[in-house]
Amino acid sequence: MTKTNLSEEEMRIYKDSRYFFPSKEMRETIGQELIYKSFVFQYHNNAEYKRYCDNQGINPNVVEADIRKIPLIPSTLFKKHKIRTNTNTPTVRNCYSSGTQGSVSTIERDEDSLTTFFTAMGAVAYQWYNVKDYVVLNLGPSVEEAQEIWFAYVMSSLNKLVPTYNYVKNSVFLCSDLCNDLKRYSESKTKVALVGSPIMYMNLFEFMDKNNVDIILEKPILMTGGGWKKNIDKSVPQTEFNKLCMEHIKGLKQEAIRDIFNMVELNTCIVECEHKHKHVPVWMDVYAIDMDTYKPAEDGKEGLLAFVDSSAKSYPDYIMSGDLGRVTYVDNCPCGRKGKCIEITRRIDTIEARGCALKIQKSVNDIK
Protein backbone atom coordinates (compact mmCIF):
# COMPACT_ATOMS: atom_id res chain seq x y z
CA MET A 1 0.00 0.00 0.00
CA THR A 2 1.05 3.58 -0.59
CA LYS A 3 1.03 6.43 1.89
CA THR A 4 -2.44 7.31 3.20
CA ASN A 5 -4.02 10.56 4.33
CA LEU A 6 -5.01 9.11 7.70
CA SER A 7 -3.82 10.97 10.79
CA GLU A 8 -1.71 9.34 13.50
CA GLU A 9 -4.69 9.60 15.85
CA GLU A 10 -6.91 7.71 13.42
CA MET A 11 -4.31 5.02 12.88
CA ARG A 12 -3.82 4.62 16.63
CA ILE A 13 -7.43 3.57 17.04
CA TYR A 14 -7.30 0.90 14.33
CA LYS A 15 -3.96 -0.43 15.60
CA ASP A 16 -5.06 -0.95 19.21
CA SER A 17 -7.31 -3.93 19.87
CA ARG A 18 -8.70 -2.24 23.00
CA TYR A 19 -10.98 -0.32 20.67
CA PHE A 20 -12.62 -3.57 19.62
CA PHE A 21 -14.15 -3.74 23.12
CA PRO A 22 -15.28 -0.18 23.86
CA SER A 23 -16.90 0.72 27.16
CA LYS A 24 -20.11 2.74 27.25
CA GLU A 25 -18.03 5.88 27.86
CA MET A 26 -15.80 5.14 24.86
CA ARG A 27 -18.83 4.50 22.63
CA GLU A 28 -20.47 7.75 23.67
CA THR A 29 -17.33 9.86 23.22
CA ILE A 30 -14.77 8.43 20.79
CA GLY A 31 -17.29 6.28 18.90
CA GLN A 32 -19.90 8.98 18.37
CA GLU A 33 -17.26 11.51 17.38
CA LEU A 34 -15.78 9.16 14.77
CA ILE A 35 -19.21 8.40 13.32
CA TYR A 36 -20.29 12.04 13.33
CA LYS A 37 -17.10 13.18 11.57
CA SER A 38 -17.53 10.39 9.04
CA PHE A 39 -21.08 11.54 8.28
CA VAL A 40 -20.00 15.17 7.89
CA PHE A 41 -17.32 14.08 5.43
CA GLN A 42 -19.72 11.93 3.40
CA TYR A 43 -22.43 14.59 3.47
CA HIS A 44 -20.13 17.25 2.03
CA ASN A 45 -18.23 15.04 -0.43
CA ASN A 46 -20.92 12.80 -1.91
CA ALA A 47 -23.52 14.84 -3.79
CA GLU A 48 -25.90 11.90 -4.28
CA TYR A 49 -25.82 10.93 -0.64
CA LYS A 50 -26.26 14.58 0.42
CA ARG A 51 -29.36 14.86 -1.76
CA TYR A 52 -30.66 11.63 -0.23
CA CYS A 53 -30.12 13.06 3.27
CA ASP A 54 -31.56 16.50 2.45
CA ASN A 55 -34.76 14.96 1.11
CA GLN A 56 -35.21 13.29 4.50
CA GLY A 57 -34.44 16.48 6.40
CA ILE A 58 -31.16 15.09 7.71
CA ASN A 59 -28.02 17.22 7.99
CA PRO A 60 -24.95 17.33 10.27
CA ASN A 61 -26.84 19.25 12.97
CA VAL A 62 -29.46 16.52 13.19
CA VAL A 63 -26.86 13.75 13.26
CA GLU A 64 -24.77 15.53 15.89
CA ALA A 65 -27.75 15.21 18.24
CA ASP A 66 -28.47 11.57 17.29
CA ILE A 67 -26.13 9.46 15.15
CA ARG A 68 -28.93 6.98 14.53
CA LYS A 69 -30.57 9.60 12.33
CA ILE A 70 -27.91 8.82 9.71
CA PRO A 71 -29.82 7.67 6.61
CA LEU A 72 -29.04 4.06 5.75
CA ILE A 73 -28.32 2.71 2.29
CA PRO A 74 -29.84 -0.71 1.53
CA SER A 75 -27.04 -3.14 0.67
CA THR A 76 -28.98 -4.12 -2.45
CA LEU A 77 -28.46 -0.63 -3.89
CA PHE A 78 -24.77 -1.40 -4.39
CA LYS A 79 -25.88 -4.06 -6.86
CA LYS A 80 -27.41 -1.36 -9.06
CA HIS A 81 -25.20 1.70 -8.60
CA LYS A 82 -21.63 2.65 -7.85
CA ILE A 83 -21.75 5.04 -4.91
CA ARG A 84 -18.41 6.85 -4.82
CA THR A 85 -17.45 9.70 -2.51
CA ASN A 86 -15.06 12.35 -3.79
CA THR A 87 -11.93 11.80 -1.69
CA ASN A 88 -9.53 13.31 -4.24
CA THR A 89 -7.77 9.95 -4.25
CA PRO A 90 -8.01 7.17 -6.83
CA THR A 91 -9.86 3.90 -6.44
CA VAL A 92 -7.26 1.30 -5.52
CA ARG A 93 -9.54 -1.70 -5.74
CA ASN A 94 -13.01 -2.39 -7.08
CA CYS A 95 -14.47 -4.96 -4.70
CA TYR A 96 -17.22 -7.33 -5.78
CA SER A 97 -19.58 -9.57 -3.88
CA SER A 98 -19.81 -13.23 -4.86
CA GLY A 99 -23.16 -12.69 -6.58
CA THR A 100 -24.90 -15.60 -4.91
CA GLN A 101 -28.32 -13.99 -5.36
CA GLY A 102 -27.93 -13.35 -9.06
CA SER A 103 -26.37 -9.90 -9.00
CA VAL A 104 -23.09 -8.42 -7.82
CA SER A 105 -22.42 -5.53 -5.45
CA THR A 106 -19.57 -3.20 -6.36
CA ILE A 107 -17.63 -1.17 -3.80
CA GLU A 108 -14.85 1.23 -4.79
CA ARG A 109 -12.17 1.43 -2.09
CA ASP A 110 -9.44 4.04 -1.96
CA GLU A 111 -6.13 3.70 -0.13
CA ASP A 112 -7.45 5.10 3.15
CA SER A 113 -10.39 2.68 3.23
CA LEU A 114 -8.18 -0.34 2.57
CA THR A 115 -5.64 0.88 5.13
CA THR A 116 -8.18 1.13 7.94
CA PHE A 117 -9.57 -2.30 7.03
CA PHE A 118 -6.23 -4.11 7.03
CA THR A 119 -4.82 -2.18 9.98
CA ALA A 120 -7.77 -3.35 12.08
CA MET A 121 -7.34 -6.89 10.77
CA GLY A 122 -3.71 -6.78 11.82
CA ALA A 123 -4.68 -5.73 15.33
CA VAL A 124 -7.08 -8.65 15.55
CA ALA A 125 -4.56 -11.14 14.18
CA TYR A 126 -1.67 -10.11 16.42
CA GLN A 127 -3.30 -8.82 19.60
CA TRP A 128 -6.50 -10.85 19.81
CA TYR A 129 -5.82 -14.14 18.03
CA ASN A 130 -2.06 -13.93 18.63
CA VAL A 131 -1.12 -15.54 15.30
CA LYS A 132 2.34 -13.97 15.01
CA ASP A 133 3.95 -17.39 15.54
CA TYR A 134 1.55 -19.19 13.21
CA VAL A 135 1.47 -20.08 9.55
CA VAL A 136 -1.88 -19.40 7.89
CA LEU A 137 -3.36 -21.97 5.52
CA ASN A 138 -6.02 -20.37 3.35
CA LEU A 139 -8.64 -22.75 1.94
CA GLY A 140 -8.97 -20.40 -1.00
CA PRO A 141 -7.07 -18.78 -3.87
CA SER A 142 -4.13 -16.38 -3.90
CA VAL A 143 -4.60 -12.62 -4.17
CA GLU A 144 -3.87 -12.83 -7.90
CA GLU A 145 -6.44 -15.55 -8.53
CA ALA A 146 -9.00 -14.06 -6.16
CA GLN A 147 -8.89 -10.88 -8.24
CA GLU A 148 -11.72 -8.58 -7.16
CA ILE A 149 -13.99 -10.99 -5.24
CA TRP A 150 -13.97 -9.43 -1.79
CA PHE A 151 -14.05 -12.44 0.56
CA ALA A 152 -11.40 -14.33 -1.36
CA TYR A 153 -9.26 -11.18 -1.53
CA VAL A 154 -9.53 -10.57 2.22
CA MET A 155 -8.58 -14.15 3.10
CA SER A 156 -5.64 -14.26 0.70
CA SER A 157 -4.47 -10.83 1.85
CA LEU A 158 -3.59 -12.27 5.24
CA ASN A 159 -0.17 -12.76 3.65
CA LYS A 160 0.35 -9.06 4.40
CA LEU A 161 0.34 -10.00 8.09
CA VAL A 162 1.71 -13.54 8.46
CA PRO A 163 3.10 -16.26 6.19
CA THR A 164 0.08 -17.50 4.23
CA TYR A 165 -0.30 -20.45 1.86
CA ASN A 166 -3.24 -20.86 -0.51
CA TYR A 167 -4.89 -24.12 -1.55
CA VAL A 168 -7.18 -23.20 -4.42
CA LYS A 169 -5.40 -22.94 -7.77
CA ASN A 170 -7.12 -22.61 -11.12
CA SER A 171 -10.40 -23.08 -9.22
CA VAL A 172 -9.30 -26.48 -7.89
CA PHE A 173 -9.18 -27.17 -4.13
CA LEU A 174 -5.88 -28.96 -3.51
CA CYS A 175 -6.98 -31.11 -0.57
CA SER A 176 -4.13 -33.59 -0.97
CA ASP A 177 -1.51 -30.82 -0.83
CA LEU A 178 -3.21 -29.28 2.19
CA CYS A 179 -3.31 -32.57 4.09
CA ASN A 180 0.35 -33.27 3.30
CA ASP A 181 1.30 -29.85 4.63
CA LEU A 182 -0.84 -30.34 7.73
CA LYS A 183 0.99 -33.62 8.44
CA ARG A 184 4.32 -31.87 8.00
CA TYR A 185 3.34 -29.06 10.35
CA SER A 186 2.07 -31.64 12.82
CA GLU A 187 5.43 -33.41 12.85
CA SER A 188 7.35 -30.16 13.28
CA LYS A 189 4.86 -28.89 15.89
CA THR A 190 4.37 -25.72 13.86
CA LYS A 191 1.36 -23.69 14.95
CA VAL A 192 -1.29 -23.52 12.24
CA ALA A 193 -4.25 -21.20 11.62
CA LEU A 194 -6.77 -22.38 9.04
CA VAL A 195 -9.06 -19.87 7.31
CA GLY A 196 -11.87 -20.49 4.86
CA SER A 197 -15.58 -20.70 4.23
CA PRO A 198 -17.60 -23.46 5.97
CA ILE A 199 -18.18 -25.41 2.75
CA MET A 200 -14.43 -25.62 2.11
CA TYR A 201 -13.93 -27.20 5.52
CA MET A 202 -16.69 -29.67 4.75
CA ASN A 203 -14.94 -30.56 1.48
CA LEU A 204 -11.68 -31.00 3.38
CA PHE A 205 -13.29 -33.26 5.98
CA GLU A 206 -14.88 -35.38 3.24
CA PHE A 207 -11.47 -35.83 1.62
CA MET A 208 -9.92 -36.74 4.98
CA ASP A 209 -12.60 -39.35 5.64
CA LYS A 210 -12.22 -40.95 2.21
CA ASN A 211 -8.44 -41.10 2.51
CA ASN A 212 -8.15 -41.95 6.22
CA VAL A 213 -6.22 -38.78 6.96
CA ASP A 214 -5.51 -38.21 10.64
CA ILE A 215 -4.26 -34.79 11.76
CA ILE A 216 -3.06 -33.69 15.22
CA LEU A 217 -1.92 -30.08 15.57
CA GLU A 218 -0.33 -27.93 18.27
CA LYS A 219 -2.81 -25.25 19.47
CA PRO A 220 -4.51 -24.79 16.08
CA ILE A 221 -6.84 -21.91 15.26
CA LEU A 222 -9.71 -22.35 12.83
CA MET A 223 -11.42 -19.30 11.35
CA THR A 224 -14.52 -19.27 9.18
CA GLY A 225 -16.02 -16.52 7.09
CA GLY A 226 -18.28 -15.93 4.14
CA GLY A 227 -21.12 -18.20 5.21
CA TRP A 228 -22.51 -21.07 3.14
CA LYS A 229 -23.70 -18.91 0.20
CA LYS A 230 -24.72 -21.16 -2.73
CA ASN A 231 -24.17 -24.24 -0.58
CA ILE A 232 -26.94 -23.51 1.91
CA ASP A 233 -28.46 -26.92 1.14
CA LYS A 234 -25.27 -28.50 2.54
CA SER A 235 -25.13 -26.33 5.65
CA VAL A 236 -25.12 -27.82 9.13
CA PRO A 237 -25.89 -26.20 12.51
CA GLN A 238 -22.97 -24.40 14.11
CA THR A 239 -22.71 -26.88 16.98
CA GLU A 240 -22.47 -29.78 14.54
CA PHE A 241 -19.95 -27.91 12.41
CA ASN A 242 -17.77 -27.22 15.46
CA LYS A 243 -17.93 -30.91 16.40
CA LEU A 244 -16.82 -31.94 12.91
CA CYS A 245 -13.92 -29.49 13.07
CA MET A 246 -12.66 -30.89 16.37
CA GLU A 247 -13.08 -34.49 15.19
CA HIS A 248 -10.99 -33.90 12.07
CA ILE A 249 -8.40 -31.45 13.45
CA LYS A 250 -7.31 -33.08 16.69
CA GLY A 251 -5.89 -30.65 19.19
CA LEU A 252 -8.47 -28.03 18.16
CA LYS A 253 -10.52 -26.64 21.04
CA GLN A 254 -13.97 -25.18 20.61
CA GLU A 255 -12.87 -21.71 21.80
CA ALA A 256 -10.30 -21.65 18.97
CA ILE A 257 -13.03 -21.93 16.32
CA ARG A 258 -13.94 -18.37 15.40
CA ASP A 259 -16.28 -16.93 12.80
CA ILE A 260 -15.64 -13.59 11.12
CA PHE A 261 -18.61 -11.56 9.88
CA ASN A 262 -18.14 -9.28 6.91
CA MET A 263 -19.80 -8.39 3.65
CA VAL A 264 -18.41 -6.49 0.72
CA GLU A 265 -20.33 -3.37 1.73
CA LEU A 266 -18.73 -3.32 5.20
CA ASN A 267 -15.24 -1.95 5.72
CA THR A 268 -14.77 -3.82 9.00
CA CYS A 269 -14.58 -7.47 10.00
CA ILE A 270 -16.64 -8.19 13.11
CA VAL A 271 -14.91 -11.01 14.93
CA GLU A 272 -15.82 -13.46 17.66
CA CYS A 273 -14.47 -13.95 21.15
CA GLU A 274 -13.95 -17.40 22.63
CA HIS A 275 -17.64 -17.47 23.65
CA LYS A 276 -18.77 -17.13 20.00
CA HIS A 277 -20.02 -13.59 20.46
CA LYS A 278 -19.29 -11.00 17.77
CA HIS A 279 -17.93 -7.76 19.25
CA VAL A 280 -18.56 -4.37 17.62
CA PRO A 281 -15.53 -2.01 17.55
CA VAL A 282 -15.68 1.59 18.67
CA TRP A 283 -15.81 3.08 15.16
CA MET A 284 -19.06 1.25 14.36
CA ASP A 285 -22.65 1.40 15.51
CA VAL A 286 -24.78 -1.67 14.88
CA TYR A 287 -28.45 -1.95 15.73
CA ALA A 288 -31.53 -3.88 14.70
CA ILE A 289 -34.42 -2.21 12.89
CA ASP A 290 -37.77 -3.14 14.42
CA MET A 291 -39.93 -4.69 11.70
CA ASP A 292 -43.11 -3.26 13.22
CA THR A 293 -42.03 0.35 13.78
CA TYR A 294 -39.13 0.61 11.27
CA LYS A 295 -37.14 2.29 14.03
CA PRO A 296 -34.12 1.09 16.08
CA ALA A 297 -35.21 -1.89 18.14
CA GLU A 298 -34.51 -2.44 21.81
CA ASP A 299 -31.39 -4.45 22.55
CA GLY A 300 -32.17 -8.15 22.40
CA LYS A 301 -35.03 -7.83 19.91
CA GLU A 302 -34.61 -9.29 16.43
CA GLY A 303 -34.75 -7.01 13.42
CA LEU A 304 -32.98 -6.04 10.24
CA LEU A 305 -29.36 -5.31 11.11
CA ALA A 306 -28.06 -1.82 10.38
CA PHE A 307 -24.31 -1.13 10.23
CA VAL A 308 -22.86 2.37 10.56
CA ASP A 309 -19.13 2.06 9.83
CA SER A 310 -16.97 5.17 10.04
CA SER A 311 -13.80 3.46 8.77
CA ALA A 312 -14.64 3.81 5.06
CA LYS A 313 -13.71 7.00 3.22
CA SER A 314 -14.56 6.30 -0.42
CA TYR A 315 -18.26 5.56 0.14
CA PRO A 316 -20.92 6.15 2.83
CA ASP A 317 -20.75 2.87 4.77
CA TYR A 318 -24.11 3.15 6.46
CA ILE A 319 -25.76 -0.09 5.49
CA MET A 320 -29.18 -1.61 5.96
CA SER A 321 -28.28 -5.25 5.50
CA GLY A 322 -30.30 -8.24 4.39
CA ASP A 323 -29.54 -10.01 7.66
CA LEU A 324 -31.80 -10.46 10.62
CA GLY A 325 -30.19 -10.30 14.02
CA ARG A 326 -30.07 -8.64 17.42
CA VAL A 327 -27.77 -6.74 19.77
CA THR A 328 -26.69 -8.93 22.69
CA TYR A 329 -24.40 -8.79 25.71
CA VAL A 330 -24.02 -5.03 26.05
CA ASP A 331 -20.96 -4.74 28.33
CA ASN A 332 -21.66 -8.13 29.90
CA CYS A 333 -20.21 -10.70 27.52
CA PRO A 334 -19.10 -13.84 29.41
CA CYS A 335 -15.60 -13.29 28.01
CA GLY A 336 -15.31 -10.27 30.34
CA ARG A 337 -14.71 -7.71 27.60
CA LYS A 338 -16.77 -4.52 27.27
CA GLY A 339 -18.75 -3.39 24.24
CA LYS A 340 -21.76 -4.52 22.30
CA CYS A 341 -22.13 -7.90 20.67
CA ILE A 342 -24.36 -8.85 17.78
CA GLU A 343 -25.98 -12.10 16.79
CA ILE A 344 -26.76 -12.74 13.12
CA THR A 345 -29.74 -15.09 13.10
CA ARG A 346 -30.66 -15.54 9.45
CA ARG A 347 -31.07 -13.94 6.05
CA ILE A 348 -34.36 -12.27 5.14
CA ASP A 349 -36.68 -15.18 4.41
CA THR A 350 -40.15 -14.04 5.46
CA ILE A 351 -42.79 -11.83 3.86
CA GLU A 352 -42.71 -9.58 6.94
CA ALA A 353 -38.95 -9.07 6.76
CA ARG A 354 -39.00 -8.41 3.03
CA GLY A 355 -41.85 -5.93 3.54
CA CYS A 356 -39.84 -4.11 6.17
CA ALA A 357 -36.85 -3.91 3.86
CA LEU A 358 -38.91 -2.62 0.96
CA LYS A 359 -40.59 0.03 3.10
CA ILE A 360 -37.26 1.32 4.35
CA GLN A 361 -35.84 1.29 0.81
CA LYS A 362 -38.64 3.35 -0.74
CA SER A 363 -36.81 6.70 -0.46
CA VAL A 364 -33.47 5.70 -1.94
CA ASN A 365 -34.26 6.78 -5.49
CA ASP A 366 -32.18 9.91 -4.90
CA ILE A 367 -29.02 7.82 -5.09
CA LYS A 368 -28.44 7.02 -8.74
Side-chain angles (χ1 to χ4, degrees):
M1 292 186 184
T2 59
K3 183 176 174 61
T4 76
N5 297 310
L6 297 167
S7 68
E8 290 186 8
E9 177 65 19
E10 287 178 293
M11 291 300 293
R12 181 178 64 83
I13 289 173
Y14 298 108
K15 286 179 179 178
D16 192 336
S17 66
R18 289 180 303 167
Y19 294 103
F20 281 84
F21 315 106
S23 64
K24 186 173 186 289
E25 181 182 2
M26 287 173 65
R27 297 194 299 272
E28 292 179 351
T29 54
I30 296 171
Q32 292 199 23
E33 182 181 4
L34 287 170
I35 291 169
Y36 170 69
K37 286 182 176 178
S38 166
F39 174 78
V40 171
F41 179 83
Q42 297 295 335
Y43 183 83
H44 289 299
N45 291 280
N46 190 315
E48 294 171 333
Y49 184 67
K50 182 179 185 299
R51 183 169 64 248
Y52 175 45
C53 294
D54 290 344
N55 285 349
Q56 297 181 58
I58 304 298
N59 57 48
N61 290 333
V62 174
V63 171
E64 187 174 23
D66 184 358
I67 61 171
R68 289 196 172 170
K69 296 292 187 181
I70 291 177
L72 302 172
I73 301 174
S75 58
T76 53
L77 195 66
F78 290 94
K79 298 180 185 295
K80 301 176 182 177
H81 305 291
K82 287 188 177 183
I83 305 170
R84 181 63 157 92
T85 300
N86 179 18
T87 59
N88 293 318
T89 57
T91 295
V92 175
R93 179 165 290 270
N94 286 302
C95 306
Y96 302 117
S97 65
S98 57
T100 55
Q101 297 182 356
S103 54
V104 174
S105 292
T106 303
I107 302 294
E108 294 189 39
R109 283 181 166 89
D110 63 359
E111 192 68 48
D112 287 353
S113 301
L114 285 175
T115 297
T116 55
F117 182 88
F118 284 112
T119 300
M121 275 192 66
V124 171
Y126 286 121
Q127 301 175 46
W128 194 357
Y129 290 166
N130 195 27
V131 299
K132 60 183 178 181
D133 298 325
Y134 282 69
V135 295
V136 174
L137 308 185
N138 173 32
L139 281 60
S142 66
V143 170
E144 293 74 24
E145 192 169 339
Q147 297 181 347
E148 310 291 350
I149 300 301
W150 178 239
F151 174 72
Y153 170 69
V154 169
M155 293 297 99
S156 58
S157 293
L158 287 170
N159 64 10
K160 300 175 185 294
L161 307 173
V162 288
T164 302
Y165 303 93
N166 310 296
Y167 291 89
V168 170
K169 295 181 181 177
N170 299 319
S171 301
V172 176
F173 184 21
L174 305 176
C175 284
S176 179
D177 290 355
L178 174 56
C179 288
N180 287 337
D181 287 345
L182 285 170
K183 290 177 183 177
R184 180 163 52 86
Y185 291 129
S186 175
E187 292 169 358
S188 63
K189 297 190 180 302
T190 301
K191 294 179 182 177
V192 172
L194 292 152
V195 299
S197 62
I199 190 61
M200 298 302 282
Y201 286 107
M202 297 298 282
N203 292 336
L204 172 62
F205 300 156
E206 182 180 356
F207 178 89
M208 293 173 69
D209 290 341
K210 286 182 178 179
N211 294 277
N212 297 314
V213 177
D214 191 41
I215 299 294
I216 302 175
L217 293 174
E218 184 83 12
K219 296 182 179 179
I221 296 172
L222 189 149
M223 291 180 275
T224 60
W228 295 90
K229 299 194 183 301
K230 293 180 180 179
N231 300 285
I232 192 67
D233 58 318
K234 299 178 182 178
S235 65
V236 298
Q238 189 64 47
T239 52
E240 183 179 342
F241 178 78
N242 292 348
K243 182 180 177 182
L244 287 169
C245 291
M246 290 184 287
E247 287 175 351
H248 289 83
I249 309 295
K250 294 179 177 62
L252 178 67
K253 297 185 181 300
Q254 182 154 302
E255 58 266 26
I257 303 172
R258 308 287 183 89
D259 184 60
I260 300 171
F261 178 80
N262 181 252
M263 51 190 185
V264 69
E265 297 87 3
L266 277 187
N267 203 54
T268 297
C269 283
I270 301 178
V271 291
E272 285 185 343
C273 67
E274 57 270 30
H275 289 271
K276 314 300 181 192
H277 300 147
K278 293 177 171 65
H279 287 254
V280 179
V282 72
W283 58 84
M284 292 185 73
D285 183 33
V286 183
Y287 58 93
I289 300 171
D290 190 299
M291 290 185 288
D292 295 321
T293 65
Y294 311 116
K295 295 180 179 180
E298 295 179 0
D299 292 343
K301 183 172 181 179
E302 185 181 74
L304 275 173
L305 286 176
F307 298 88
V308 178
D309 187 348
S310 68
S311 71
K313 302 291 183 182
S314 54
Y315 66 103
D317 197 356
Y318 317 133
I319 307 300
M320 182 186 72
S321 74
D323 293 293
L324 293 169
R326 57 176 62 89
V327 174
T328 61
Y329 296 107
V330 180
D331 295 326
N332 65 347
C333 179
C335 76
R337 299 176 180 92
K338 297 295 185 181
K340 296 194 304 181
C341 300
I342 58 168
E343 176 187 358
I344 294 93
T345 53
R346 55 197 166 98
R347 296 288 295 174
I348 294 176
D349 59 0
T350 65
I351 293 174
E352 291 81 7
R354 290 195 188 101
C356 175
L358 289 171
K359 186 173 181 69
I360 296 169
Q361 288 184 49
K362 68 179 183 179
S363 63
V364 302
N365 291 330
D366 295 307
I367 301 179
K368 296 181 180 178

